[in-house]
Amino acid sequence: MEDIIKEAYIESIKNIRKGDKEEEVKKIQEKIKKAKKIIVATNNEKKFKVIKDIMLKVCNAQIKMINIDTKFADLTRMPALYKGLLALDTEKGDIYISRGRLGVPGSGSMLIILDKKGRILTASLSPSSVIHRENIEKRIKKELIEALKRIGISIN
């Protein structure tokens, strides 16, 4: 992954980067599919179950939720990202999945998949719950499927 990132940085500096490359997307897919341990940044059983059920279709990993209340992340500017970084700082894993408010109250939500260095591999956004009006489990399922689809991983 580091080589691909370095190459993309150099292309950007030289002003020759023309967008994502197939091998970059394949590397992200591989990183997720080969994960042995996935940490989900929640202590909510319902949210965890939705994520676990989907991810078990993608990879044969141990999937664990953190045993820390993440509500205080709502006090930060980007709660969804902060939850993922909290999980990364407290549990060892290959992949971290977090979901929370995008920014200010009313801004909607974001689901993020991070690697063990805190780099965002993929993500998805949802409108505010007062707009989509779906239950949390249904919404998280849609967000995770969309985040995976963005990098070419489909769920049957």
Side-chain angles (χ1 to χ4, degrees):
M1 181 64 79
E2 284 73 16
D3 291 339
I4 284 177
I5 292 169
K6 183 178 179 180
E7 185 178 323
Y9 284 174
I10 291 168
E11 288 173 354
S12 292
I13 289 167
K14 291 180 177 179
N15 201 27
I16 58 170
R17 181 125 175 108
K18 302 293 184 215
D20 293 341
K21 297 177 183 167
E22 193 170 328
E23 60 265 23
E24 295 166 346
V25 175
K26 295 260 186 236
K27 191 70 169 174
I28 294 169
Q29 291 172 355
E30 180 182 304
K31 197 167 218 27
I32 292 172
K33 288 178 178 180
K34 290 187 176 182
K36 297 293 179 218
K37 187 172 183 185
I38 297 173
I39 306 298
V40 181
T42 188
N43 63 350
N44 179 310
E45 289 283 348
K46 288 181 179 181
K47 293 177 184 179
F48 175 73
K49 183 178 178 354
V50 172
I51 293 170
K52 181 178 180 180
D53 289 349
I54 292 170
M55 291 309 296
L56 286 173
K57 295 176 181 178
V58 174
C59 60
N60 185 23
Q62 174 192 4
I63 304 173
K64 180 182 176 188
M65 65 178 177
I66 60 171
N67 191 19
I68 295 175
D69 191 340
T70 60
K71 284 188 292 219
F72 69 88
D74 286 341
L75 304 176
T76 66
R77 290 178 182 252
M78 241 181 132
L81 179 58
Y82 189 82
K83 287 179 183 184
L85 295 174
L86 172 71
L88 188 141
D89 287 342
T90 60
E91 299 282 341
K92 279 192 183 238
D94 300 310
I95 300 294
Y96 297 83
I97 300 175
S98 62
R99 194 254 184 200
R101 197 175 65 230
L102 174 61
V104 300
S107 62
S109 63
M110 179 168 39
L111 183 137
I112 306 173
I113 301 177
L114 303 165
D115 72 5
K116 63 184 173 186
K117 290 189 174 186
R119 300 176 294 208
I120 297 172
L121 301 176
T122 186
S124 66
L125 300 174
S126 282
S128 172
S129 59
V130 298
I131 294 172
H132 68 65
R133 300 192 186 278
E134 294 174 315
N135 72 43
I136 191 81
E137 293 89 353
K138 186 174 184 180
R139 199 69 220 171
I140 289 173
K141 181 178 181 179
K142 283 183 176 181
E143 289 172 11
L144 182 51
I145 289 170
E146 180 183 328
L148 293 168
K149 187 177 178 182
R150 291 172 55 89
I151 54 165
I153 297 174
S154 25
I155 305 299
N156 299 331

